[in-house]
């Protein structure tokens, strides 16, 4: 019996092949460069048509978030368009995740979540930039020399910043961006029109292109977690954050949304800026009102499950949501989507998916439109 072949030397690929015997493989995930973080995987199996695969990813007791593996199911695709979920089991004692799948065709791709390639990123930016009323600028350059793209639209006084993939392995964040940009650039969408009239919107679809292309979970090209750099970003460690924060200093920030994915919590939720030392009157109430509108608009969002709130004066100002709320008085938030499924509304075929991420992006923009109109 011939052995299957496994490859990951491509955009966002990450896996180390330890051994292959027929259709069974032992694998390991590479750490982010200059970092101990690892959890993201993305690889291709070939020579697999009609064969029952057993793919054992080992050493995951030392991964970044071991709590992300129970009840997790791996994403797979055979055409790189539709991403479903396949049979996956977690052996906590051994620290091993076992993926079982029988492909209909010769090849199958497996990933921690549906990948969002840098090529697709450039397609997204190019498509949006050609729409009426949209301008593009490069805020700066990453350590690997990639551009930090920003799309700006709208004529209103309210300054809104949307940005995603500070943590590059959280690919659902850029799928969300597709939906948000579809809403904002669609001339027939009433919420997009409302937001462009009332706001000036600055959209950064991918803040960590180096980590994205390298197949990192959480860091940039030198192992830096960008969402711990917002207090004092530097050109040497975090030029990505320095570029966007400098641009924010020029415009000011009234509303900001930082889009992420969470490994362990099987729900969609928003983390706020409770605990910042310089809380303004009405600031947290404005955030609570946005969450209430979004919860009413979509059953995919809820407010019961999420992160603990920081005590007064104890917020971590190295994180963007806290820093922007403190620095500008912004109504800032971190939107979290699951790597697993939304347990409030589960989907056996796909779990949480690219499609639902994009739909949520549209709903978040509609909710923002309602919130803006309520402000008057």
């Amino acid at each position: 019996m011939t052995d299957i072949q496994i490859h990951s030397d491509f955009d966002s690929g990450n896996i180390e092949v330890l051994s292959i015997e027929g259709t069974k493989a032992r694998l390991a995930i590479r750490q982010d460069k200059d970092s101990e973080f690892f959890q993201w995987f993305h690889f291709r199996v070939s020579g697999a048509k009609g064969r029952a695969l057993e793919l054992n990813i080992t050493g995951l007791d030392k991964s970044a978030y071991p709590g992300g593996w129970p009840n997790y199911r791996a994403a797979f695709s055979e055409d790189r368009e539709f991403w479903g979920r396949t049979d996956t089991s977690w052996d906590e004692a051994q620290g091993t995740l076992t993926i079982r799948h029988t492909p209909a065709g010769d090849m199958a791709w497996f990933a921690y979540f549906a990948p969002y390639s840098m090529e697709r990123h450039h397609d997204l930016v190019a498509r949006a930039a050609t729409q009426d009323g949209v301008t593009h600028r490069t805020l700066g350059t990453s350590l690997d020399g990639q551009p930090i793209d920003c799309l700006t639209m709208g004529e209103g006084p309210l300054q809104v910043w949307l940005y995603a993939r500070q943590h590059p392995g959280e690919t659902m964040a850029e799928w969300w961006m597709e939906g948000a940009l579809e809403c904002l650039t669609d001339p027939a969408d009433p919420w997009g029109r409302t937001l462009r009239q009332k706001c000036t919107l600055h959209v950064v679809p991918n803040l960590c292109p180096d980590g994205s292309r390298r197949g990192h979970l959480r860091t940039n090209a030198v192992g830096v977690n960008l969402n711990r750099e917002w207090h004092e970003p530097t050109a040497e460690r975090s030029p990505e954050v320095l570029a966007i924060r400098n641009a924010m200093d020029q415009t000011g920030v009234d509303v900001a949304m930082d889009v992420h994915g969470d490994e362990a919590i099987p729900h969609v939720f928003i983390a706020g800026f409770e605990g910042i030392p310089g809380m303004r009157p009405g600031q947290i109430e404005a955030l609570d009102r946005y969450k209430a509108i979004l919860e009413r608009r979509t059953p995919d969002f809820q407010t019961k499950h999420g992160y603990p709130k920081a005590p007064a004066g104890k917020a971590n100002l190295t994180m963007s949501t806290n820093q922007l709320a403190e620095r500008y008085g912004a109504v800032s938030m971190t939107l979290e989507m699951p790597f697993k499924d939304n347990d409030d509304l589960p989907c056996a075929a796909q779990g949480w998916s690219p499609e639902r991420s994009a739909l949520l992006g549209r709903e978040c923009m509609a909710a923002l439109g309602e919130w803006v109109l309520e402000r008057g």
Side-chain angles (χ1 to χ4, degrees), residues 143-156:
L143 290 167
D144 281 346
Q146 297 192 81
I148 308 301
D149 293 307
C150 180
L151 299 156
T152 299
M153 62 211 74
E155 303 172 348

Side-chain angles (χ1 to χ4, degrees), residues 94-112:
Q94 297 296 320
T96 298
L97 189 80
T98 298
I99 302 169
R100 293 180 174 86
H101 186 72
T102 302
D106 185 65
M107 292 184 292
W109 283 258
F110 299 89
Y112 191 32

Side-chain angles (χ1 to χ4, degrees), residues 304-317:
K304 293 179 181 177
H305 306 276
Y307 299 145
K309 296 178 181 180
K314 300 296 184 180
N316 183 351
L317 296 182

Side-chain angles (χ1 to χ4, degrees), residues 257 270 286-294 333 364 367-368 371:
M257 187 175 294
I270 283 174
L287 173 62
D288 289 341
R289 183 59 191 145
Y290 177 80
K291 290 192 289 185
I293 294 171
L294 185 59
M333 64 196 84
C364 285
L368 182 60
W371 183 90

Side-chain angles (χ1 to χ4, degrees), residues 57-322:
I57 306 180
T58 62
L60 298 183
D61 53 322
K62 300 293 195 300
S63 63
Y65 302 100
W69 302 121
N71 302 315
Y72 166 79
R73 292 184 298 143
F76 82 95
S77 179
E78 296 187 26
D79 61 6
R80 305 214 317 156
E81 291 291 332
F82 176 83
W83 286 85
R85 300 288 180 138
T86 195
D87 180 25
T88 309
S89 58
W90 166 240
D91 186 332
E92 183 175 2
Q94 297 296 320
T96 298
L97 189 80
T98 298
I99 302 169
R100 293 180 174 86
H101 186 72
T102 302
D106 185 65
M107 292 184 292
W109 283 258
F110 299 89
Y112 191 32
F113 193 83
Y116 201 101
S117 72
M118 288 309 302
E119 284 303 306
R120 190 177 183 107
H121 164 84
H122 288 296
D123 291 342
L124 173 66
V125 170
R127 186 167 64 249
T130 61
Q131 303 304 306
D132 289 343
V134 179
T135 60
H136 170 271
R137 56 183 166 145
T138 301
L139 299 182
T141 304
S142 72
L143 290 167
D144 281 346
Q146 297 192 81
I148 308 301
D149 293 307
C150 180
L151 299 156
T152 299
M153 62 211 74
E155 303 172 348
L158 200 69
Q159 298 292 325
V160 177
W161 281 83
L162 311 173
Y163 53 104
R165 290 188 84 178
Q166 288 205 76
H167 298 150
E170 296 167 12
T171 55
M172 62 285 289
E174 200 156 4
W175 290 109
W176 182 98
M177 279 289 179
E178 280 202 7
L181 282 168
E182 285 171 2
C183 172
L184 293 172
T185 61
D186 182 354
D189 191 299
W191 291 117
R193 295 177 71 87
T194 297
L195 288 170
R196 293 194 305 273
Q197 289 174 0
K198 301 289 186 180
C199 310
T200 300
L201 301 111
H202 312 271
V203 184
V204 181
N206 189 331
L207 192 50
C208 190
D210 295 353
S212 301
R213 190 164 62 185
R214 287 169 175 263
H216 287 188
L217 171 72
R218 201 165 172 84
T219 66
N220 70 359
V222 292
V224 171
N225 177 356
L226 295 181
N227 203 26
R228 299 297 185 274
E229 293 287 305
W230 283 76
H231 184 53
E232 294 182 343
T234 67
E236 295 74 26
R237 284 174 49 87
S238 48
E240 305 90 346
V241 174
L242 183 62
I244 189 174
R245 207 190 71 175
N246 285 345
M248 289 173 168
D249 281 346
Q250 293 175 358
T251 66
V253 183
D254 296 306
V255 179
M257 187 175 294
D258 179 17
V259 190
H260 285 259
D262 185 88
E263 289 79 4
I265 300 175
H267 302 277
V268 178
F269 61 97
I270 283 174
F273 48 86
E274 297 85 359
I276 63 168
M279 187 75 72
R280 277 74 159 182
Q283 194 175 3
I284 201 69
E285 290 79 8
L287 173 62
D288 289 341
R289 183 59 191 145
Y290 177 80
K291 290 192 289 185
I293 294 171
L294 185 59
E295 189 171 29
R296 174 177 53 77
R297 288 196 60 90
T298 173
D300 266 339
F301 178 75
Q302 56 78 53
T303 55
K304 293 179 181 177
H305 306 276
Y307 299 145
K309 296 178 181 180
K314 300 296 184 180
N316 183 351
L317 296 182
T318 70
M319 300 172 69
S320 68
T321 288
N322 294 328

